[in-house]
Amino acid sequence: MKLKAITVASTFALSACATIIGSTSQPVTFKSSPEGATFSVINRAGEKIHSGLTPATITLRKGAGYFKSETYTVRYEKAGFEPKEFTVSGNVNGWYFGNIIFGGLILGMLIVDPLSGAMFTLDDESANQTLTPVGPRVSNIDGSLRIVTVDSVDPALMAMARRIN
């Protein structure tokens, strides 16, 4: 009798494809160009869950509730550069549809994977960002030379300047 109960329990526990193949969380690497930007990660509920410097890898939950993927708002800031804000959100994981093939249609597809968040994969491509410098921009597209005074240059940009002899 015990063996039968264990077999039935194991069958139900192992009938959620995305949960078996994947996991409920995912490591995401945050990179910026230039490196060393301060970044903060805020979840769907508006809670700041992490802050640090790029590059960094942190593990984020993929689900935010029943049939709801987590969405994170990420903000990069660095002196001399414009702040950049973007989202990292979840998309349906292909293994979720394995429930149809491997017999987890009711338990896996409607209960375990949607509750655990394993049915989602976070779009981590957006975590790589190039920051835009602030202050006056000098363009040489038309071949002209633009002369500016030191006082008109943003102090953060001036701090990165170097003297040419």
Side-chain angles (χ1 to χ4, degrees):
M1 184 69 174
K2 278 187 178 181
L3 181 61
K4 192 175 194 178
I6 291 171
T7 304
V8 169
S10 297
T11 302
F12 282 122
L14 297 175
S15 63
C17 282
T19 304
I20 295 168
I21 302 299
S23 67
T24 59
S25 59
Q26 177 180 331
V28 177
T29 301
F30 293 91
K31 295 179 183 176
S32 66
S33 178
E35 291 183 350
T38 302
F39 75 100
S40 56
V41 181
I42 299 167
N43 67 9
R44 177 189 288 265
E47 302 163 339
K48 184 188 249 184
I49 60 164
H50 186 83
S51 60
L53 293 176
T54 61
T57 301
I58 62 172
T59 301
L60 299 173
R61 291 189 47 77
K62 297 191 281 184
Y66 188 61
F67 275 108
K68 194 184 291 183
S69 70
E70 185 61 89
T71 300
Y72 298 96
T73 301
V74 183
R75 183 172 178 86
Y76 285 174
E77 294 178 322
K78 185 171 175 86
F81 295 87
E82 293 177 13
K84 192 162 232 183
E85 194 169 284
F86 59 95
T87 60
V88 173
S89 56
N91 299 310
V92 176
N93 178 341
W95 282 107
Y96 172 66
F97 297 105
N99 288 308
I100 297 168
I101 298 166
F102 298 112
L105 188 62
I106 294 180
L107 187 63
M109 203 159 205
L110 297 177
I111 299 172
V112 178
D113 288 347
L115 275 173
S116 69
M119 69 179 283
F120 301 107
T121 299
L122 295 175
D123 175 23
D124 57 357
E125 296 290 320
S126 60
N128 300 323
Q129 296 286 326
T130 300
L131 303 178
T132 307
V134 295
R137 297 192 180 135
V138 178
S139 172
N140 198 16
I141 294 173
D142 62 357
S144 65
L145 175 67
R146 181 174 171 199
I147 299 174
V148 294
T149 62
V150 174
D151 351 343
S152 69
V153 178
D154 182 274
L157 191 59
M158 198 61 198
M160 296 185 309
R162 60 185 171 95
R163 185 178 200 99
I164 299 174
N165 292 327

